[in-house]
Amino acid sequence: ILRKARTTDWSAALSGFYQYNILRHFRTLPPHSMVLDVTYRCNSRCVMCNIWNAERQPDLTLEQFDQVLADPLFRSIERLMISGGEPSLRTDLLELVQVCFRRMPALRTLSLITNGLNPERVVTLYGEVARLCAEHRVSLSISVSLDGVAATHDAMRGITGAFDRAAQTVDGLQELQKKYGFYLGVGCVICHLNLNQLGVFQTWCRERRVPPGFQIVGFHDTYVSNLEQQTRLDFEEDDRPALYAVLQQLAADRSLTNWMAGYWLDMLHMYRDGRERVSPCPFQVDACVLDAYGNLRFCETAPNIGNCLQDGSCSQLYYSPKAAAMRTAMTHGVCRTCNSGCMVNVGYRRDLWKHLRAILGHT
């Protein structure tokens, strides 16, 4: 079994290297990873995100999602992240996950995100998703958004008592984890408001044996639409020593299985030394985003390629000359200074040579 696993891992690494470094330059690769924003409704009031405050149109119904996901484009999806808004606000989320299983026969990994503000609903609903994943032999990962401890998190999320509710959700999911064995972590957005509280947050995570994941705040006129918050949230000059120390800490573990080490070393070079990004990003190569309105994009912050219900099928949009031009412009433009860590672990797995170089300090 070990020999077979090793053979499979090396085969995947060689295939990934070929696709990421050679084949992508000659043709558009089918998507292997995908983010599905199932709703733009949200019960949080996050200071770093304006989704909750944006004008909304009706989310796609279950039947419409089924119609869109029936496109052959999604048959190659191996890794799916379900996001929002707050996914648990969909009353048919479980049925939507079943649609994904049916329309994505290659699916191996499912990731769920939640703000944890409704502990009872999230634990019950995500427990049912965990049961489905176990039945379909799909690996499940759940991340609860947590940006600090107590008042720090409440201030970031704009909700009094948000921390207590999110912590209760973590506790409930940890009990479910014992039964289903899924990965459970917490996700923290690092910004000026919580930078100096990260030590307290990491201690809280260690005491509860829940691994933290981090993302540096980004500012965009798409998706989170938070440009007006940049003055309040971006790092000040006095923050630089603390920021560099955090990035050095996160990059310190250069073990072979730490797929994020290269990304954090890359971020240190970007913020401290002014270098351009070198971390591999699946959204440049073989990933996409489908949102709750049927819009197809290459990543959360990219412009829409088109709408799958109005402008043609998802396959037509994804493989169109327009999409190819957009991806090329993105890769040679905004991607060079992008700080997003979304699916960067997948990028390093697919491009193993860059991971080996990164853990050796050669970003």
Side-chain angles (χ1 to χ4, degrees), residues 61-71 99 102-103:
T61 64
L62 180 67
E63 291 73 22
Q64 287 174 314
F65 265 121
D66 192 20
Q67 174 188 342
V68 171
L69 293 174
D71 190 289
V99 167
R102 186 170 68 254
R103 298 304 189 185

Side-chain angles (χ1 to χ4, degrees), residues 76-96:
S76 58
I77 297 296
E78 300 173 0
R79 293 163 293 271
L80 175 66
M81 176 187 294
I82 291 182
S83 185
E86 169 55 32
S88 68
L89 293 181
R90 281 198 74 112
T91 58
D92 57 359
L93 182 64
L94 187 64
E95 291 79 8
L96 184 50

Side-chain angles (χ1 to χ4, degrees), residues 20-205:
Y20 270 53
N21 292 276
I22 299 173
L23 190 58
R24 63 178 289 195
H25 299 295
F26 295 94
R27 67 177 179 87
T28 300
L29 301 182
H32 295 101
S33 302
M34 175 178 167
V35 175
L36 183 63
D37 294 322
V38 296
T39 183
Y40 280 126
R41 289 178 292 151
C42 191
N43 52 350
S44 187
R45 300 292 182 266
C46 301
V47 296
M48 63 287 194
C49 174
N50 274 334
I51 285 178
W52 62 272
N53 197 32
E55 292 185 11
R56 290 197 304 268
Q57 61 190 69
D59 295 332
L60 265 60
T61 64
L62 180 67
E63 291 73 22
Q64 287 174 314
F65 265 121
D66 192 20
Q67 174 188 342
V68 171
L69 293 174
D71 190 289
L73 180 72
F74 303 109
R75 293 176 186 169
S76 58
I77 297 296
E78 300 173 0
R79 293 163 293 271
L80 175 66
M81 176 187 294
I82 291 182
S83 185
E86 169 55 32
S88 68
L89 293 181
R90 281 198 74 112
T91 58
D92 57 359
L93 182 64
L94 187 64
E95 291 79 8
L96 184 50
V97 171
Q98 291 173 314
V99 167
C100 293
F101 285 163
R102 186 170 68 254
R103 298 304 189 185
M104 302 175 187
L107 190 65
R108 295 187 289 109
T109 301
L110 173 65
S111 299
L112 287 172
I113 298 174
T114 179
N115 58 32
L117 287 177
N118 190 337
E120 183 176 353
R121 170 152 181 82
V122 171
V123 172
T124 300
L125 178 57
Y126 283 24
E128 286 298 300
V129 174
R131 177 185 58 79
L132 277 179
C133 286
E135 291 176 358
H136 289 265
R137 297 184 179 181
V138 171
S139 176
L140 175 64
S141 171
I142 299 177
S143 178
V144 180
S145 298
L146 204 58
D147 298 315
V149 175
T152 300
H153 178 69
D154 289 5
M156 290 279 290
R157 295 285 155 172
I159 300 288
T160 301
F163 173 77
D164 290 338
R165 283 186 264 173
Q168 185 179 340
T169 299
V170 171
D171 291 341
L173 291 173
Q174 283 185 314
E175 289 300 312
L176 281 175
Q177 189 182 31
K178 297 174 184 177
K179 181 177 181 180
Y180 293 110
F182 54 82
Y183 175 87
L184 174 65
V186 292
C188 174
V189 177
I190 304 174
C191 69
H192 168 72
L193 298 181
N194 66 353
L195 177 62
N196 292 317
Q197 299 296 319
L198 294 183
V200 176
F201 171 70
Q202 289 174 305
T203 298
W204 186 92
C205 292

Side-chain angles (χ1 to χ4, degrees), residues 4 153 199-200 210 350:
K4 182 179 179 181
H153 178 69
V200 176
V210 55
R350 298 277 288 160

